[in-house]
Structures are given as C-alpha cells and as structure tokens.
Amino acid sequence: MAGAVIVALDGTVLTVAQPTLQRDLHTGFAQAQWTSTGYLVVVAGLLVFGGRLGDRHGHRLLFGLGMLGFGVTSAAIGLAPGIGWVIALRVLQGVCGALLQPATLGMLRAAYPPDRLRGPLAVRTAAIGLAAAAGPLLGGALVTASGWRAVFFLNVVPALVLGALALASVHRDRDRERVRPAPGLDPAGALLLAVTLGCLVYALVGSPGSGWTSGNGAALAVAAAAGAGFVRHERRTSDPLVPPELVGSRAIGAALGVLVAASAALHGALFACVYVLQETLGLNPFESALRSLPLAVLMVAAAVLCPLLLRRAGVRRATAGATALLATGILLLGGDFGTPVICTAFGLVGAGFGTVMVAATQVVVRQAPVAYAGVAGGLQQTALNVGPVLGVAAAAALAGAGGPRLPLPVLAAVAAAGTAAALLLPDASSPASGTRIRGRGTPLVRPRRDHDV
C-alpha cells in the first residue's frame, strides 16, 4: 500500500510543479508536458508485462527492484540539469513504475485468501485517495518553499527503504511452492501490447493540447495494427501473455470495463470542471478546490465502508449503484447550480468512484488464479491508466466544440455505460473462484479450502 501511495503522490505533486519547472528550465509547454506524457506512455505499455515478470520471478523481487529504481530516478530528476534529462529520466521512471504497480496487487493476492481481500483493497484504495487529495497541497507547499526539484526528492528515502525491505524478504516468495510451472514471458506478445497501448496513449494525450495532427493519426494507426497483431499472436501461441483463464472470464472482463468507464468519466469530468468553475463561474483556483473537497472526503469514506456494503449487497448491486451515483454526480456538475449542489455533486462522484475502485478491483484480483495475480494486477492498472486518457481526450474535444459544460452529460452517459457492465459481475451468491492448476493439458480447478492462501 505504501508503494501504491508513493506512485499516486508522484503524479499529483508533479502536476503542481510543472509550471515552475517550465520557467526554471526555460522550456516550452509541450516539452514540460512530456515529463508526464513520457511516463504515461511507457507505464501503460509495460504494466501487463511487468505483472507477468512478477508471476514468473516473484512479486517481492519486482516490487523491490521497481521501488529502488523509482527512488534512484526521483533523485536523479531532482538533480537534472535540463529538460531533456528530466524527460529521459521520467521515461526510465515509467519502466520502474510498470514493475512495481502490478506487484502491489500481486502481493496482496498472494497474502490473503479470496474471501478476505475486500478489507486490504479498501485500505489500499483509501490510502491512494488520501495521497491524491494531499498531493496538490503538499506539492504546492514544496514548490513555493523550495522549487520544483523538491517534489522529486520527496519520494527518494521512502522508495529506497521499501525497495530494500522487499529485496531482503525475497526468500519468502521463493520458499512458497508454486501451484503450476512458472509461466513463460511471451516477449513477442509483450512487445505488441506495449506498442498498442503506448501508441494509443501517445495519440490521445497529444490531441487535447495540439489538436488532431498527422502524428496522432499515425500513432493511432500503428496502435490498431499492433493490436490486431497482438490478438492474432495470443490466439496462436502456446503460452500467451494474457492467459485464457483471464481472457475467458466474464467477471474479469466486466470489472475491467467498469474501471475503464468509471475512470474515464471521472477524469474527463474533472478536466471539464476546472474550466466550468474558473472560467464560467469566475472562481479562483483555491475556491474551486474548496468546492471539490467533498470528492476526496467521500471517496476515502466510500472505500473504507465498501467491504461492509459488498457483504450486504453483493458485488453486482454495489457496483451498479456506485456507477449510477457517479453518473448522477457528473450530470449535476453540468447544470447551472449554486455551491450546495456543486459540493453535493462532487460528493456523489467521490462516493461512487471510491466504491467502484474497491468492488471492481477485488473482482479482478479475486477471480484471477494466484499464478496469474501479476498479470491481473497489470490489467487493472492498465485500465486505470487508459481510462483517464480516454476521458480527458474526449472532454477536451467536446469542450473545444461546444464549451466546457458540453462534455459533462456525455461523460455521465459513459459512467452509466459502466452500470450496464456492472450487471455482468458476480452476485452475492456467486462462489469464490477455485485455484486453477494448469499443466500441459486441460486446465484443472481445485476447490478452494479455507486454509488456502
């Protein structure tokens, strides 16, 4: 959980520091944006492969290496002499992030039986929510007091300490007997998926700031071709990057769809609301932040209370209700209402998204066999990286065509589409998934016993 918080803090504090970084390094807006874009492109492309590496070599090892790399690159960025160094080091940091993020979920899946995953996932989501809420405030204070370099030094010591602790306990992973032979790495599939997701993110991240260009179109075409090649390759190879146990699971597919829809709706709505609050309503940034504070508060509260809700209502009803809350909140944000309604709308958005995060994530992690926990974690993280990119790109395009309020009802419809996907999730009476043992022949399913981990 501490590793997930470090990654969440890194992204939010950098957003605050970018204008100061741009001025101090005498660079343009496009180059400054690449400090975020370069990281996003790399991490989105490598998350699933990072999870596969964890499944093969142990999640503690990948977590430890990723955290050490994250800490070292953070320190190097803080000492970087120019914007070119900053961008290159952020790309390298994205590789480290792709190693450690799936491992955070893989370690939880290995440590807890399926029926006890709700609590740890709820605490993890609440911690990430607190980090996302505190990041802008902490980043603003550090940049004001010490400059943009301070935000990168913030994570150095915690990352190095956590990485060292993880590597010191790698033997605990190695001492555990595997329920199946270690999966192959499928480098060809990993490369095709990395090109697909990297080019998709590059095309969508670049379009809001510069409009749709030939470069964006070319990247999108490459993504489509690589995606088709990836699907064809996965069907033919004997040991695919994304195993049939995950691809063929209706529950996992529906949960990933809910995460993409919810994260796209949330981040696209936040992008549009900045302009609605500051340009349309004439509020300053601080006044806007105060009105959006219920989002962070209710997101953390919803994550904490979600395990109880899941036990009483079941995954299907809880997730469908949460996506409906999210859609209602976004729809209210698009209306011409006063401060009480705006604050209420932000609260509904936070409560809905916090519940969706815990509920859908526990479906992905719980339904995946332990041997593929890393790949499942990589898929979950990929959904939460691609969804925001899609949402912001759509919001920017719609706002340019019809003003900042136009994206909000459309994004509310996207969240409502997540409600339809939620109806495909398991209900309260669905049995926990068994532990799959796959040898060379037909996959076998051994019923899960209470003492299984």
Side-chain angles (χ1 to χ4, degrees):
M1 287 184 284
V5 166
I6 285 176
V7 175
L9 267 179
D10 175 80
T12 53
V13 297
L14 176 60
T15 302
V16 178
Q18 275 183 332
T20 305
L21 179 152
Q22 182 179 344
R23 289 193 300 269
D24 287 355
L25 296 182
H26 308 289
T27 186
F29 176 78
Q31 285 183 306
Q33 283 295 104
W34 264 100
T35 61
S36 294
T37 302
Y39 178 91
L40 280 174
V41 168
V42 173
V43 79
L46 295 179
L47 279 167
V48 176
F49 186 59
R52 187 59 171 259
L53 286 172
D55 289 334
R56 184 176 177 84
H57 300 292
H59 299 298
R60 288 176 190 264
L61 175 63
L62 270 293
F63 179 85
L65 293 175
M67 287 304 299
L68 288 178
F70 206 88
V72 170
T73 51
S74 292
I77 294 169
L79 300 172
I83 188 64
W85 280 99
V86 174
I87 294 172
L89 288 166
R90 281 288 287 171
V91 169
L92 183 58
Q93 195 172 47
V95 176
C96 300
L99 295 180
L100 74 92
Q101 288 187 64
T104 64
L105 288 172
M107 290 163 69
L108 284 178
R109 177 64 179 90
Y112 289 90
D115 56 353
R116 291 181 56 202
L117 274 171
R118 298 187 188 100
L121 290 174
V123 177
R124 180 182 183 273
T125 301
I128 292 173
L130 284 174
L137 298 175
L138 184 58
L142 287 172
V143 172
T144 302
S146 305
W148 65 270
R149 297 179 187 273
V151 303
F152 290 102
F153 292 131
L154 174 67
N155 287 328
V156 173
V157 173
L160 295 179
V161 170
L162 286 169
L165 289 173
L167 291 181
S169 61
V170 163
H171 64 278
R172 297 183 188 178
D173 268 355
R174 292 175 176 169
D175 288 345
R176 294 182 179 181
E177 294 183 2
R178 293 184 179 273
V179 297
R180 53 154 288 172
L185 292 180
D186 188 18
L191 178 61
L192 287 168
L193 183 61
V195 171
T196 301
L197 295 174
C199 288
L200 175 64
V201 171
Y202 171 80
L204 295 174
V205 168
S207 59
S210 58
W212 194 257
T213 65
S214 58
N216 300 128
L220 198 59
V222 172
F230 173 74
V231 172
R232 186 169 182 265
H233 168 80
E234 292 292 284
R235 287 178 174 175
R236 295 188 172 191
T237 187
S238 59
D239 200 0
L241 178 67
V242 183
E245 288 90 336
L246 301 184
V247 175
S249 171
R250 187 182 75 169
I252 292 177
L256 292 174
V258 170
L259 288 172
V260 170
S263 59
L266 172 73
H267 288 269
L270 293 179
F271 177 86
C273 281
V274 169
Y275 294 93
V276 172
L277 294 175
Q278 296 185 28
E279 294 187 359
T280 305
L281 301 181
L283 303 176
N284 61 42
F286 182 71
E287 292 170 336
S288 300
L290 285 178
R291 283 160 176 77
S292 65
L293 192 58
L295 186 150
V297 174
L298 267 294
M299 186 172 81
V300 172
V304 172
L305 295 174
C306 190
L308 177 62
L309 177 64
L310 293 177
R311 283 194 295 269
R312 294 191 173 184
V315 173
R316 182 186 301 169
R317 285 190 290 174
T319 308
T323 51
L325 273 185
L326 177 62
T328 303
I330 294 174
L331 197 60
L332 288 175
L333 288 173
D336 190 9
F337 302 111
T339 297
V341 176
I342 291 175
C343 292
T344 301
F346 274 118
L348 292 176
V349 170
F353 189 75
T355 304
V356 167
M357 274 283 290
V358 177
T361 298
Q362 75 98 19
V363 170
V364 175
V365 178
R366 180 177 180 176
Q367 295 287 329
V370 177
Y372 297 125
V375 174
L379 291 171
Q380 187 263 2
Q381 293 290 317
T382 300
L384 292 178
N385 276 268
V386 173
V389 173
L390 291 169
V392 171
L398 291 168
R405 291 188 188 274
L406 178 60
L408 293 168
V410 176
L411 293 166
V414 172
T419 304
L423 297 178
L424 300 176
L425 295 173
D427 61 18
S429 61
S430 294
S433 63
T435 303
R436 295 179 182 266
I437 310 170
R438 183 183 172 192
R440 293 183 178 178
T442 304
L444 302 176
V445 178
R446 174 171 59 83
R448 183 182 61 79
R449 298 181 178 91
D450 289 342
H451 64 267
D452 285 347
V453 176

